[in-house]
Amino acid sequence: MTGSRIVALGHYQPSKVLTNDELATLVDTSDEWITSRVGIRRRHLAAPDESVADMAARAAEKALAASGFDAETVDLVVVATCTAIDRSPNTAAQVAARLGVPAPAAFDVNTVCSGFSYALATADHALRAGAARRALVIGAEKMSDTVDWTDRTTCVIFADGAGAAVLEATADDEPAGVGPVVWGSDPRKGDAVRIDGWDPTISQQGQTVFRWATTQIAPIALQACERAGIRPDELAAFVPHQANLRIIDAIAGKLGLSDSAVVARDVVESGNTSAASVPLALSKLVERGEIPSGAPVLLFGFGGGLAYAGQVVRCP
Ligand code: UT7
């Protein structure tokens, strides 16, 4: 085995949509402030009885159906999430049970907003090592559970959803479809995003994270291209964590992308869904046919921790 590739993607968003105008009836904010400072126009929120595992399973079900693989052939399930309430069974085991995956290695990963790229790298490493052959890698979040709906600095930003990828080990003569990961963190700034305690409420030092993301992330993201042997102007798409449209555009502007490269801006329609944002945005772009199959795409997650991770993948 030489590596792994993404075979198919799927995503799920809850049906309830909350607009900026509706938020302006809850807190002292406005559509103008939210669109100009964060770029979000609307976001999806889970129902009170809808869990992270529910959303993860819906996204994974779609990805699995698109892959054409039987659930019985999946031997690894990894879920990236920072909002799952249950400790046992973990989210990955719950997803496996619902989908009928009989005996997978199943575990959750929490690196907050960079979680999907960590989960993807971990699954890729397992497939490279021969420890698994087919994996489900999922990012799923119910951020609304952690939001104080009277705090205008956070309640306008975060949202719920899930995205999933089916991964398969590649054969010896097949090129790898998941490039080397570049990952790390700045723990000294870890307090800049907090979701802590038994009944956690999200809080953040917005400007600290903003400055870190807009100054530190682009050079690291370029390392992921270098390690994959891809020039930035060869990328068909850039799919960063959907934190803030201004952050996305600031990082994209420093990468040297070609004019035809697609930049994921799903934050506008979906808000910030933490670990779900990268697979959700990627799955939507692929569903809409905006990235050709086999084309190189740079994924890059960053946020709480302050952790980051990214890799170049070949579009399924
Ligand atoms: O994904 C997890 C990682 N987190 C991030 O990536 C977040 C990164 N940071 C950001 O995206 C931005 O810093 C925010 C969107 C969080 C905030 O935008 P900002 O342009 O940095 O605003 P600010 O915090 O400097 O606040 C400017 C003003 C303040 O009022 P005063 O003190 O100038 O009177 C805030 O109280 O905007 C006020 N404000 C709001 N006004 C209307 C804060 N939130 C709101 C709001 N509506 N929702």
Side-chain angles (χ1 to χ4, degrees):
M1 272 168 280
T2 56
S4 72
R5 68 186 177 98
I6 297 177
V7 179
L9 296 156
H11 62 271
Y12 170 78
Q13 292 184 284
S15 56
K16 182 180 165 54
V17 174
L18 185 67
T19 64
N20 292 345
D21 286 338
E22 287 170 292
L23 272 166
T25 68
L26 302 176
V27 289
D28 181 14
T29 192
S30 63
D31 178 53
E32 197 280 328
W33 192 95
I34 302 169
T35 50
S36 62
R37 298 285 185 123
V38 205
I40 299 171
R41 293 195 179 277
R42 57 192 69 80
R43 70 284 291 146
H44 293 249
L45 299 184
D49 61 351
E50 196 168 27
S51 69
V52 170
D54 291 333
M55 292 186 281
R58 295 277 201 112
E61 210 167 17
K62 288 182 189 164
L64 200 56
S67 75
F69 295 161
D70 286 337
E72 295 81 53
T73 65
V74 172
D75 50 11
L76 173 63
V77 181
V78 188
V79 178
T81 184
C82 67
T83 49
I85 292 169
D86 302 334
R87 269 67 165 170
S88 180
N90 62 23
T91 314
Q94 292 183 48
V95 170
R98 284 174 208 208
L99 268 57
V101 181
F107 58 93
D108 294 358
V109 165
N110 172 14
T111 59
V112 202
C113 304
S114 56
F116 182 76
S117 280
Y118 272 86
L120 184 62
T122 307
D124 174 57
H125 298 164
L127 268 56
R128 279 175 189 275
R133 288 202 59 83
R134 282 184 179 172
L136 265 170
V137 182
I138 306 161
E141 300 282 15
K142 190 174 181 185
M143 297 302 288
S144 59
D145 268 353
T146 72
V147 166
D148 171 356
W149 291 96
T150 65
D151 177 3
R152 69 177 182 172
T153 68
T154 51
C155 75
V156 304
I157 294 172
F158 295 102
D160 306 331
V166 174
L167 229 64
E168 183 177 45
T170 47
D172 286 340
D173 54 351
E174 217 183 324
V178 176
V181 70
V182 173
W183 57 11
S185 63
D186 187 347
R188 291 161 306 173
K189 292 199 182 89
D191 278 354
V193 180
R194 300 191 72 99
I195 313 176
D196 48 1
W198 282 107
D199 186 14
T201 299
I202 188 160
S203 61
Q204 63 176 351
Q205 298 160 24
Q207 290 195 1
T208 302
V209 185
F210 190 95
R211 265 196 305 276
W212 171 76
T214 52
T215 59
Q216 306 299 309
I217 294 302
I220 303 170
L222 287 172
Q223 288 173 26
C225 296
E226 199 181 324
R227 294 204 58 200
I230 298 279
R231 288 196 324 268
D233 63 359
E234 294 174 320
L235 290 169
F238 172 47
V239 183
H241 168 49
Q242 302 292 295
N244 179 323
L245 195 56
R246 289 191 293 148
I247 296 178
I248 294 168
D249 287 337
I251 298 173
K254 293 181 178 182
L255 294 180
L257 301 171
S258 73
D259 290 344
S260 61
V262 174
V263 176
R265 294 188 176 88
D266 186 49
V267 67
V268 176
E269 301 296 325
S270 303
N272 178 340
T273 58
S274 186
S277 84
V278 167
L280 184 55
L282 178 64
S283 177
K284 285 182 175 183
L285 288 173
V286 171
E287 187 178 71
R288 292 200 298 261
E290 292 188 36
I291 312 175
S293 178
V297 178
L298 173 61
L299 311 181
F300 211 91
F302 55 86
L306 294 178
Y308 57 82
Q311 59 274 92
V312 174
V313 301
R314 294 279 165 184
C315 186

